[in-house]
C-alpha cells in the first residue's frame, strides 16, 4: 500500500463538545496534549487562533516534533493586551517551536461583515474606514511582534496577518507591514462548484503570489477547505463526498508545487454558530473538520490523509 504524505499544515481549534470559548469554557491541559499527539500523525505544523492555553502544550509540541503558527486574536473594539502578552510569553520561552506568528484573523473582513457589506461590493467609505482601523490598530501590533521576534532566539519567525484573499489586493500598506502574506482562499464561500474548486484555489493563489512578488513577499494559504454539511451557496454544495474530492485534488497539486497551506480544519466545532448574514448559512461553520468532534475520521477521507487511530475519548 502506498503511504499517504502528511498534510503541510492544519488549523486547530481545541474546543470539544460542551466547551465554548465565548462562554469561557476551555479544554484542559490533558485534552489538548492528547490532541497534539493525534495531530502529530497528520502534520508537522498546526495553526492556532489564540495563544490562550497554548503554553500548556508547548512541551508536547516539542516532543512530537510539531511547529506552531501561533495566532493572536485581535478585536478592534476591545483591548488586546492579554493576547499580545501571552503570545510574547510563549515566544520568549519556546521561540524554536514557532513557525510563524499570525497577528489577527480576518480582522478587516470582519469590519465589512459587521457593516453588512459583501466582500465583492465594498463602498469607498467602508474601505476608508478599514484603512483607518488597519493603520491605527493592526499594523502597530504587527510591528510590535516583529520587535519581539528580533529579541528572541529565533529570528526566522515570520510575522503575518490573515485575511481573505481579496483584501490583500486593496491594502498594499498591510503587505508592506508583514513578512509573508497569509491569504484565506475558500472556494465554498466563493460559490464555486467542487468540480473546479482546487483549480480555482490555485488560480487565486497565483494571482496573490504575483502581487506578493512585487513586494518581495511569499504567500501562505492560511485557510482552505470544504464543509461536509450546511447551506448550498451558488454552485458550492457541502457534503462528505465533495470534501473528499476537494481535499484530494488540492493536496495533490499543493504537494507537487510545494505550496505552504493549512487545511481548515482538524475537528468539527459544535460551539460555532457562524457569522454570515444569511441564517441558512450559520450551521456550516460547525462542519469543516477532517474529523468529527469526537476524533472519528470522516469516512470519505480515510484514503487521502495519513491513517491514524481515532481519538475515542475526545468528547
Amino acid at each position: 500500500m502506498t503511504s499517504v504524505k502528511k498534510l503541510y499544515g492544519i488549523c486547530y481549534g481545541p474546543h470539544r463538545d460542551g466547551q465554548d470559548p465565548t462562554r469561557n469554557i476551555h479544554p484542559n491541559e490533558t485534552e489538548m496534549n492528547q490532541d497534539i499527539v493525534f495531530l502529530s500523525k497528520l502534520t508537522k505544523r498546526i495553526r492556532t487562533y489564540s495563544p490562550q492555553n497554548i503554553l500548556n502544550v508547548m512541551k508536547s509540541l516539542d516532543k512530537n516534533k510539531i511547529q506552531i503558527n501561533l495566532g493572536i486574536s485581535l478585536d478592534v473594539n476591545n483591548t488586546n493586551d492579554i493576547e499580545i502578552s501571552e503570545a510574547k510569553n510563549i515566544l520568549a520561552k519556546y521561540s524554536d517551536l514557532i513557525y510563524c506568528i499570525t497577528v489577527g484573523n480576518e480582522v478587516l473582513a470582519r469590519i465589512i461583515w459587521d457593516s453588512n457589506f459583501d466582500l465583492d461590493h465594498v463602498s469607498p467609505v467602508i474601505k476608508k474606514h478599514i484603512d483607518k482601523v488597519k493603520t491605527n490598530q493592526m499594523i502597530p501590533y504587527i510591528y510590535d511582534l516583529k520587535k519581539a521576534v528580533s529579541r528572541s532566539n529565533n529570528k526566522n519567525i515570520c510575522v503575518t496577518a490573515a485575511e481573505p484573499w481579496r483584501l490583500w489586493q486593496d491594502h498594499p500598506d498591510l503587505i508592506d507591514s508583514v513578512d509573508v502574506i497569509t491569504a484565506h482562499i475558500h472556494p465554498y464561500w466563493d460559490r464555486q462548484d467542487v468540480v473546479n474548486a482546487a483549480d480555482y484555489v490555485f488560480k487565486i493563489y497565483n494571482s496573490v503570489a504575483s502581487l506578493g512578488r512585487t513586494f518581495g513577499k511569499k504567500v501562505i494559504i492560511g485557510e482552505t477547505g470544504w464543509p461536509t454539511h450546511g447551506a448550498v451557496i451558488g454552485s458550492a454544495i457541502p457534503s462528505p463526498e465533495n470534501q473528499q474530492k476537494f481535499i484530494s485534488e488540492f493536496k495533490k497539486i499543493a504537494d507537487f508545487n510545494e505550496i505552504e497551506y493549512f487545511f481548515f480544519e482538524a475537528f468539527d466545532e459544535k460551539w460555532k454558530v457562524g457569522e454570515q448574514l444569511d441564517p441558512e448559512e450559520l450551521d456550516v461553520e460547525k462542519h469543516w473538520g477532517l474529523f468529527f468532534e469526537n476524533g472519528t475520521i470522516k469516512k470519505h477521507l480515510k484514503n487521502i490523509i495519513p491513517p491514524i487511530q481515532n481519538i475515542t475519548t475526545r468528547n
Side-chain angles (χ1 to χ4, degrees):
M1 179 178 176
T2 304
S3 62
V4 179
K5 186 176 181 180
K6 284 187 175 183
L7 310 179
Y8 182 88
I10 194 165
C11 300
Y12 169 53
H15 295 87
R16 305 180 179 206
D17 192 14
Q19 299 171 349
D20 185 343
T22 65
R23 294 187 290 140
N24 203 32
I25 304 174
H26 303 285
N28 60 40
E29 184 174 341
T30 298
E31 290 171 331
M32 292 186 67
N33 280 317
Q34 182 187 43
D35 285 347
I36 296 306
V37 174
F38 182 83
L39 294 174
S40 70
K41 313 300 182 183
L42 284 175
T43 185
K44 295 180 180 180
R45 302 168 193 84
I46 64 170
R47 179 186 170 195
T48 61
Y49 291 86
S50 169
Q52 301 304 311
N53 302 311
I54 296 299
L55 190 62
N56 294 333
V57 299
M58 295 304 289
K59 289 182 179 179
S60 182
L61 290 173
D62 189 16
K63 181 179 179 180
N64 290 282
K65 303 185 186 310
I66 293 182
Q67 287 194 313
I68 187 170
N69 183 325
L70 182 63
I72 298 174
S73 178
L74 290 186
D75 185 341
V76 297
N77 298 312
N78 296 289
T79 179
N80 297 290
D81 293 348
I82 294 176
E83 289 279 311
I84 298 296
S85 176
E86 186 62 16
K88 289 180 177 179
N89 187 27
I90 295 171
L91 175 63
K93 296 178 180 179
Y94 294 101
S95 63
D96 58 321
L97 300 179
I98 299 175
Y99 158 76
C100 194
I101 297 176
T102 302
V103 185
N105 184 68
E106 298 187 343
V107 175
L108 305 184
R110 197 172 311 279
I111 296 168
I112 295 174
W113 294 330
D114 289 348
S115 304
N116 295 339
F117 277 84
D118 185 280
L119 282 175
D120 286 323
H121 303 89
V122 183
S123 74
V125 173
I126 294 298
K127 283 187 177 181
K128 184 176 181 180
H129 177 57
I130 292 171
D131 287 339
K132 180 179 179 181
V133 171
K134 173 190 60 189
T135 301
N136 291 344
Q137 298 186 47
M138 281 191 71
I139 290 177
Y141 284 125
I142 292 169
Y143 283 123
D144 185 34
L145 266 297
K146 280 187 171 185
K147 289 181 180 179
V149 167
S150 71
R151 295 190 293 265
S152 76
N153 292 325
N154 183 2
K155 308 296 191 293
N156 295 319
I157 297 170
C158 60
V159 179
T160 184
E163 294 289 343
W165 62 270
R166 289 180 178 87
L167 290 180
W168 290 101
Q169 297 176 330
D170 296 327
H171 295 84
D173 49 347
L174 183 60
I175 299 176
D176 276 335
S177 73
V178 298
D179 295 321
V180 300
I181 297 171
T182 297
H184 293 178
I185 310 175
H186 282 293
Y188 168 78
W189 289 120
D190 288 352
R191 302 171 176 265
Q192 298 297 306
D193 191 313
V194 74
V195 171
N196 305 310
D199 288 337
Y200 172 81
V201 171
F202 290 105
K203 176 183 177 182
I204 299 301
Y205 170 83
N206 288 330
S207 174
V208 180
S210 177
L211 173 66
R213 283 191 292 272
T214 67
F215 290 84
K217 308 291 173 73
K218 71 175 183 178
V219 176
I220 298 172
I221 299 178
E223 285 184 9
T224 194
W226 198 274
T228 51
H229 180 76
V232 174
I233 57 171
S235 299
I237 304 173
S239 74
E241 295 84 0
N242 285 351
Q243 184 189 57
Q244 186 273 339
K245 179 176 178 59
F246 173 72
I247 290 176
S248 176
E249 293 179 357
F250 173 88
K251 185 174 181 292
K252 187 182 300 183
I253 300 173
D255 290 346
F256 180 80
N257 290 283
E258 298 184 336
I259 291 171
E260 298 179 40
Y261 68 86
F262 288 83
F263 272 132
F264 186 80
E265 59 183 330
F267 305 105
D268 281 351
E269 297 188 81
K270 286 185 181 178
W271 68 269
K272 291 185 174 180
V273 296
E275 298 173 352
Q276 302 303 313
L277 299 177
D278 188 344
E280 292 184 356
E281 297 176 9
L282 299 184
D283 192 52
V284 75
E285 294 290 351
K286 304 175 185 178
H287 301 286
W288 290 78
L290 306 186
F291 296 81
F292 293 108
E293 197 170 22
N294 65 3
T296 302
I297 190 171
K298 294 183 178 179
K299 65 179 183 179
H300 290 81
L301 303 180
K302 286 184 177 180
N303 295 324
I304 62 172
I305 63 175
I308 57 178
Q309 185 177 0
N310 290 336
I311 295 176
T312 57
T313 59
R314 196 181 195 272
N315 51 42

